[in-house]
Amino acid sequence: MTVPATAIYFTAYDQLKAFLCGRALTSDLYAPMVAGALARLGTVTVISPLELMRTKLQAQHVSYRELGACVRTAVAQGGWRSLWLGWGPTALRDVPFSALYWFNYELVKSWLNGFRPKDQTSVGMSFVAGGISGTVAAVLTLPFDVVKTQRQVALGAMEAVRVNPLHVDSTWLLLRRIRAESGTKGLFAGFLPRIIKAAPSCAIMISTYEFGKSFFQRLNQDRLLGG
């Protein structure tokens, strides 16, 4: 799931950002936010069935061989749309996260770079900017992550006892219910684990990506000059 998601996500982001800036459809300040949101929306839609399979593996402890039967049963009962169950909460968590992440990342990177050209961004700067941006985005979108987790756990428990839910509560209803039962702090349950996961993963991913991109750009330029 992670490999195709990352490939689709970063490729779509770079292409969308270049398109938005090239056509002057939005300012350079907000282009990363729009491109990040659209790239994540497309990625979530494509990867959602794999996300559902991963949840089944974790919640029901089924083997990969049994997973195929689970998927066929889900499709037989709820149609192909059942493979995108949980798409809404995932999109509500990941799309704002990506928009905030790329907006803050470009701002922090520009601040760290000062007057240096963009193509001279070091791996260390990308790492720091990615960590800071990931932390901010993770904190602000944590309530949606709580809702997504609770919904997946509930659905997994129902499937384990072979009970089909009569209806699925909306994300906003679940947010209000969590706040009524546990207060505002309930919406930010798991704060520390999410930060511990998001900050280093975002920092490692973006710094590795930036390094790989600059490496292959230099390699291609050398080949052109050499040819």
Side-chain angles (χ1 to χ4, degrees):
M1 183 184 74
T2 302
V3 173
T6 304
I8 294 169
Y9 179 49
F10 279 109
T11 302
Y13 171 76
D14 270 341
Q15 296 298 319
L16 285 167
K17 182 185 172 187
F19 175 79
L20 291 170
C21 293
R23 299 294 180 88
L25 296 177
T26 184
S27 67
D28 289 349
L29 178 63
Y30 296 108
M33 177 184 288
V34 177
L38 292 175
R40 179 56 71 182
L41 182 63
T43 304
V44 166
T45 303
V46 173
I47 302 299
S48 188
L50 294 177
E51 173 83 12
L52 184 65
M53 293 178 193
R54 180 182 66 85
T55 303
K56 287 181 179 293
L57 283 170
Q58 292 178 335
Q60 300 179 20
H61 306 291
V62 297
S63 66
Y64 283 100
R65 183 176 300 176
E66 295 170 328
L67 181 61
C70 289
V71 172
R72 287 192 294 272
T73 302
V75 172
Q77 292 177 349
W80 288 102
R81 290 180 60 186
S82 64
L83 295 179
W84 278 267
L85 190 66
W87 177 89
T90 303
L92 283 172
R93 180 196 66 178
D94 290 355
V95 172
F97 179 94
S98 293
L100 291 166
Y101 172 78
W102 286 109
F103 177 76
N104 286 301
Y105 172 73
E106 296 293 350
L107 281 180
V108 174
K109 187 174 72 170
S110 298
W111 178 70
L112 292 174
N113 276 338
F115 296 99
R116 296 174 62 187
K118 291 183 179 180
D119 59 353
Q120 292 184 14
T121 303
S122 68
V123 174
M125 287 183 179
S126 295
F127 187 90
V128 173
I132 294 172
S133 305
T135 300
V136 172
V139 171
L140 294 179
T141 58
L142 183 56
F144 295 113
D145 186 57
V146 173
V147 168
K148 177 178 176 292
T149 301
Q150 288 203 5
R151 176 170 288 171
Q152 288 182 334
V153 170
L155 289 173
M158 289 180 182
E159 289 182 356
V161 296
R162 301 185 182 280
V163 174
N164 292 325
L166 297 177
H167 70 282
V168 179
D169 293 333
S170 69
T171 299
W172 306 111
L173 180 61
L174 285 172
L175 284 171
R176 290 196 296 269
R177 182 180 300 169
I178 292 169
R179 190 172 186 275
E181 293 175 355
S182 306
T184 303
K185 68 178 182 180
L187 296 174
F188 292 89
F191 170 84
L192 189 59
R194 181 156 165 79
I195 296 303
I196 293 174
K197 173 191 172 184
S201 63
C202 287
I204 293 169
M205 183 179 292
I206 191 61
S207 58
T208 305
Y209 175 70
E210 293 280 16
F211 172 78
K213 189 165 65 172
S214 62
F215 172 80
F216 286 109
Q217 283 175 344
R218 289 194 301 269
L219 185 64
N220 290 334
Q221 288 174 356
D222 292 342
R223 285 181 176 177
L224 289 174
L225 293 174

